[in-house]
Amino acid sequence: MVLVVDFGAQYAQLIARRVREARVYSEIVPSTMPVQEMLARRPAAIILSGGPSSVYAEGAPRLDRALFEAGVPVFGMCYGFQLMAQTLGGTVDNSGAREYGRTDLHVSKVGSTLFEGTPAEQQVWMSHGDACSAAPEGFTVTASTAVVPVAAFENDEKKLYGVQHHPEVMHSTHGQQVLEHFLYRGAGIEPTWTTGNVIEEQVAAIREQVGDKRAICGLSGGVDSAVAAALVQKAIGSQLTCVYVDHGLMRKGETEQVEKDFVAATGVSLKVVDAEQRFLDALAGISDPEEKRKVIGREFIRVFEQAQAEIVAEAGEHGGQPVQFLVQGTLYPDVVESGGGTGTANIKSHHNVGGLPEDLEFELIEPLRKLFKDEVRMVGQELGLPEEIVQRQPFPGPGLGIRIVGEVTRERLDLLREADAIAREELTAAGLDRDIWQCPVVLLADVRSVGVQGDGRTYGHPIVLRPVSSEDAMTADWTRMPYDVLAKISTRITNEVADVNRVVLDVTSKPPGTIEWE
C-alpha cells in the first residue's frame, strides 16, 4: 500500500487515482496524522502531496523528520517537495519566483531513477510561489526550470525523491511515467493490484461480516448502488434483498434495466415498489425546485421504510434470519470528503438511496468505500453487469423531477422522457457517450415559444440540451459537440415529440452555472 499524505492539495485524490492506475493500491491520509501512525500501517511507500501553503507561513503543515529516516521510500510533490527539502537541510527561498501552469522542465540527469526514458526537455504543470535553490546533502539535482534551479532531486541510497511540479495532472506530459518510475524503480513495488483483488477481498470480508444474517439494499438504478448490490450478492446470495422504488421519475428504459437486466445478470432477489402515482400526487401543484426535492426525498423515505418493514416481517414469519445489514454504494471520495469516518449503527442520509431516515437501525455494508468511480465501473464489468448500467451517466436522485422547470405531471414526464431518449440514442450512435460526463435534457414546462410546424403557428415547449465534460462534477465545461449531431438531435426532437418546437443548447460552464438547472 502507498500512503498519499494530503497537505490540502486540490489534487490529492488524483494522486491516489494515478497510483492505482499504476496497479498499486493507495490511500489518502491527512498531514495531521502522526508519523508513527503512518509508519504503523506499514506502507510500501509514501507520497507527499502539494498544498496551498508556503513552508514559511505561520501554521503551515510540517512533518516529523523521522518520516525520512524510517527507510520507507518517499516522493514529494510541489509543497511536499519543498517540505522535504527544508526538513532535510536544503534551501527553500521565499523569493517570489512563481510558476503557474505549463512550464518547460530541463532534465539534467536523463538516466536518473525518476526520469529514465523521458526527454531532456518536457512540459510540466507548476503551481508554486516558493522555490528550492539548494538540495539537501546527499541529494542529486536532476532537473531545473528557467526560474527554479532545483526542480527535482533524488537520493537513491535513502530512496527519497522529489519534484517541484505536479506529475499527477495530464498537463505534465510524462508525469505518469515519472510516478511509475518512483513506484517501480525507486520503491521497488510490484504492480499487482487489480479490481479482481478487490472483488476477492470484499467477498471474503462481506461473508465474515454478515455470517448467516440478511441484508437489504436500496437500488437507485445508478452505477454505485448496482455494483455494491452485485458484489454483496456474489458474497451472500439469497441473504440479500434489493428494493427498487419506482417513483415514475426515471428516464425511458431505466426501470426495465433494473427489473430485468440487473436481475438476470446477478440473480438478486428484487422487491419493486410501484409508487409512481404516489409521487405524482405528492408533487401536484409544486413548481419550486427545492420543494420538489424535499417532497421526493420525503416520499422515498416513507416508501423505503414500508418496503424494509415488509421484508423484515416476512423474514420473521418464515422463521428466517433477521435483517441486520444495509448495503450502501459509498465511494472513496465520499469517505475522504467526510473526514474518513467509518460507518456505524445509524444510517445517515446518502445520495445512493435518496436520503434514508436516521433511525433505521442497521449495520452498514459499504463494499465500494475504497474505490473511485472509474474503479467501480471496472468492478461492475468484471461482475458481468450490463454495459447500460455500468456506463450509465450520473443522474440526480430526484430524477426527471428536477429536469422539468415547473410543475411535474405525467404528461410532462412522458414528453421529457421521449426527448431525453432521442438525445441519448444519437449521442450513442455518434460514439460520444464516453466523451461527455453527462447530458441533462431539460423541459422548460412553464415557457411557451412560438414556432411554425405544418404551415401553422405553434406554441410549444423549449427543450434544453446540457452536455458537459468533467472529471468530478466539482467543475465542468460545456462539451463542444459536432454540429451535425446537435442538428440531428434537434430535428428528431421537434419532429417526434409532441408539444416541442424548439431545442436550445446550454453553453455555460460550472461555475457560474450548475450542471442541473434545478
Side-chain angles (χ1 to χ4, degrees):
M1 175 182 65
V2 171
L3 291 184
V4 177
V5 181
D6 183 7
F7 289 99
Q10 58 179 322
Y11 298 129
Q13 289 189 28
L14 185 56
I15 296 171
R17 284 181 60 183
R18 294 292 185 249
V19 173
R20 293 183 185 199
E21 286 170 13
R23 296 179 61 197
V24 175
Y25 181 67
S26 64
E27 288 189 8
I28 301 169
V29 297
S31 61
T32 53
M33 177 181 283
V35 165
Q36 291 309 312
E37 193 174 327
M38 294 181 196
L39 297 176
R41 300 181 67 171
R42 303 179 65 83
I46 292 174
I47 295 176
L48 309 179
S49 84
S53 301
S54 163
V55 291
Y56 290 101
E58 186 177 348
R62 296 282 183 262
L63 266 183
D64 189 332
R65 186 186 177 100
L67 178 70
F68 305 110
E69 298 171 344
V72 177
V74 181
F75 186 17
M77 301 176 180
C78 195
Y79 181 83
F81 165 73
Q82 294 176 358
L83 190 59
M84 180 189 291
Q86 187 185 60
T87 303
L88 294 177
T91 304
V92 177
D93 298 318
N94 189 3
S95 61
R98 300 178 179 181
E99 289 177 314
Y100 296 103
R102 287 185 180 87
T103 304
D104 292 325
L105 182 76
H106 172 68
V107 179
S108 53
K109 301 287 184 180
V110 291
S112 69
T113 298
L114 294 186
F115 294 106
E116 170 76 32
T118 70
E121 305 294 332
Q122 52 189 274
Q123 274 200 341
V124 298
W125 190 260
M126 291 283 194
S127 181
H128 67 92
D130 299 337
C132 182
S133 59
E137 186 178 349
F139 282 74
T140 301
V141 177
T142 56
S144 61
T145 72
V147 174
V148 178
V150 182
F153 55 45
E154 303 183 10
N155 185 326
D156 283 317
E157 182 183 350
K158 295 186 176 180
K159 297 184 178 179
L160 302 178
Y161 306 86
V163 296
Q164 178 60 71
H165 65 277
H166 289 274
E168 72 274 19
V169 304
M170 63 181 180
H171 305 296
S172 294
T173 51
H174 296 276
Q176 185 66 15
Q177 194 173 354
V178 168
L179 177 58
E180 290 178 3
H181 280 344
F182 166 70
L183 297 171
Y184 306 156
R185 293 157 56 86
I189 301 172
E190 294 290 329
T192 58
W193 186 77
T194 66
T195 50
N197 301 148
V198 174
I199 294 173
E200 291 174 12
E201 291 169 4
Q202 283 303 313
V203 165
I206 292 164
R207 285 174 179 165
E208 182 177 352
Q209 181 184 5
V210 176
D212 60 356
K213 304 295 191 300
R214 296 184 61 195
I216 61 172
C217 176
L219 282 178
S220 67
V223 180
D224 304 341
S225 64
V227 174
L231 197 47
V232 176
Q233 165 69 15
K234 182 177 178 67
I236 63 173
S238 61
Q239 292 166 249
L240 173 69
T241 302
C242 289
V243 176
Y244 175 70
V245 177
D246 182 3
H247 48 32
L249 305 174
M250 297 295 282
R251 296 182 293 190
K252 188 175 182 178
E254 290 186 322
T255 292
E256 290 74 18
Q257 282 179 8
V258 175
E259 289 187 279
K260 297 176 183 176
D261 298 345
F262 181 75
V263 173
T266 62
V268 75
S269 173
L270 179 64
K271 182 181 183 70
V272 178
V273 183
D274 183 357
E276 180 180 16
Q277 192 59 53
R278 175 174 182 159
F279 277 81
L280 287 172
D281 290 344
L283 288 166
I286 299 174
S287 295
D288 179 75
E290 275 309 303
E291 186 62 22
K292 283 193 285 187
R293 287 177 179 272
K294 289 176 183 176
V295 167
I296 293 168
R298 180 193 70 213
E299 293 303 314
F300 186 96
I301 288 170
R302 290 176 178 172
V303 173
F304 190 89
E305 281 182 315
Q306 182 179 335
Q308 63 89 15
E310 291 172 1
I311 292 169
V312 170
E314 288 168 7
E317 288 173 8
H318 296 91
Q321 291 293 338
V323 180
Q324 189 171 323
F325 299 92
L326 176 73
V327 180
Q328 287 200 144
T330 309
L331 304 191
Y332 192 50
D334 301 326
V335 176
V336 174
E337 288 160 14
S338 64
T342 56
T344 51
N346 287 342
I347 309 305
K348 303 274 191 230
S349 175
H350 194 277
H351 66 274
N352 279 308
V353 285
L356 295 177
E358 295 183 2
D359 57 353
L360 278 180
E361 297 274 336
F362 292 111
E363 292 181 45
L364 282 184
I365 301 175
E366 297 176 304
L368 310 179
R369 65 182 281 110
K370 292 185 176 181
L371 302 182
F372 290 99
K373 191 80 166 188
D374 50 348
E375 295 166 341
V376 171
R377 295 189 195 279
M378 288 189 284
V379 169
Q381 288 174 327
E382 196 151 337
L383 289 169
L385 291 183
E387 189 78 359
E388 294 78 11
I389 291 178
V390 172
Q391 296 301 333
R392 182 179 186 262
Q393 293 178 354
F395 189 60
L400 297 180
I402 60 166
R403 289 186 177 174
I404 294 175
V405 179
E407 182 184 3
V408 178
T409 67
R410 189 187 305 275
E411 293 72 26
R412 290 174 172 181
L413 284 166
D414 289 342
L415 184 157
L416 180 53
R417 256 189 283 270
E418 290 304 316
D420 177 87
I422 290 169
R424 287 191 290 141
E425 284 173 17
E426 294 302 332
L427 290 175
T428 300
L432 296 174
D433 285 342
R434 304 291 180 89
D435 294 335
I436 62 174
W437 171 265
Q438 59 175 306
C439 184
V441 177
V442 181
L443 171 64
L444 303 184
D446 287 347
V447 176
R448 290 280 183 171
S449 64
V450 67
V452 178
Q453 291 173 301
D455 295 326
R457 185 178 289 264
T458 62
Y459 291 94
H461 296 292
I463 284 286
V464 181
L465 303 179
R466 175 71 166 133
V468 295
S469 300
S470 178
E471 281 197 1
D472 54 13
M474 297 299 292
T475 60
D477 195 11
W478 64 281
T479 306
R480 276 64 168 174
M481 288 170 51
Y483 288 156
D484 60 333
V485 177
L486 288 170
K488 197 166 186 179
I489 292 172
S490 176
T491 300
R492 283 196 59 193
I493 289 176
T494 52
N495 284 349
E496 298 174 30
V497 182
D499 293 328
V500 174
N501 64 1
R502 192 177 298 269
V503 175
V504 300
L505 179 66
D506 184 343
V507 294
T508 314
S509 63
K510 176 188 179 183
T514 55
I515 292 177
E516 298 293 343
W517 271 50
E518 291 204 335

